[in-house]
């Protein structure tokens, strides 16, 4: 699974969607949109337009698994396969301490 930027890098807002890598095509990758069950929405993208996502979640979460406050991240809209740019406001471990 990868987060894929399907809009040009200099266009704002950037569009990022959840995709599955199908195969390597030279120095690029053919990816398919995970929200499209017809298999029609595919993209051939450079590695600069892809972010590899972890295949599994850690069994337990520790501070080593979280991003620090102020870190730029991609977050996923609920019940979708679309990402948006966000900034970590409060780390989960600090939220539990309050």
């Amino acid at each position: 699974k990868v987060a894929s930027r399907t809009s040009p890098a200099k266009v704002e807002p950037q569009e990022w969607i959840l995709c599955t890598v199908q195969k390597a095509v030279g120095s690029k990758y053919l990816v398919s949109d995970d929200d499209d069950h017809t298999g029609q929405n595919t993209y051939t993208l450079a590695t600069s337009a892809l972010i590899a996502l972890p295949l599994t979640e850690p069994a337990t979460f520790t501070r080593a698994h979280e991003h620090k406050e102020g870190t730029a991240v991609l977050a996923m809209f609920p019940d979708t396969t679309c990402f948006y740019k966000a900034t970590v406001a409060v780390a989960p471990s600090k939220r539990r301490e309050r």
Side-chain angles (χ1 to χ4, degrees):
K1 300 288 181 188
V2 292
S4 303
R5 185 183 65 233
T6 57
S7 59
K10 294 182 181 180
V11 172
E12 291 293 335
Q14 293 180 353
E15 183 176 297
W16 290 83
I17 61 173
L18 181 65
C19 289
T20 299
V21 175
Q22 299 300 320
K23 65 180 179 178
V25 181
S27 63
K28 296 184 177 188
Y29 292 90
L30 178 68
V31 299
S32 60
D33 182 347
D34 275 19
D35 199 31
D36 175 31
H37 303 292
T38 67
Q40 299 293 322
N41 289 336
T42 60
Y43 306 90
T44 303
L45 301 171
T47 55
S48 61
L50 303 172
I51 299 172
L53 300 174
L55 297 175
T56 61
E57 292 184 18
T60 58
F61 286 91
T62 66
R63 289 180 188 212
H65 296 109
E66 64 187 26
H67 296 288
K68 294 183 179 1
E69 292 174 23
T71 302
V73 296
L74 287 178
M76 187 177 280
F77 286 108
D79 303 319
T80 72
T81 58
C82 297
F83 294 91
Y84 62 94
K85 288 185 178 182
T87 303
V88 175
V90 178
S93 61
K94 290 194 177 183
R95 199 171 54 225
R96 286 188 293 268
E97 292 171 0
R98 291 182 177 177

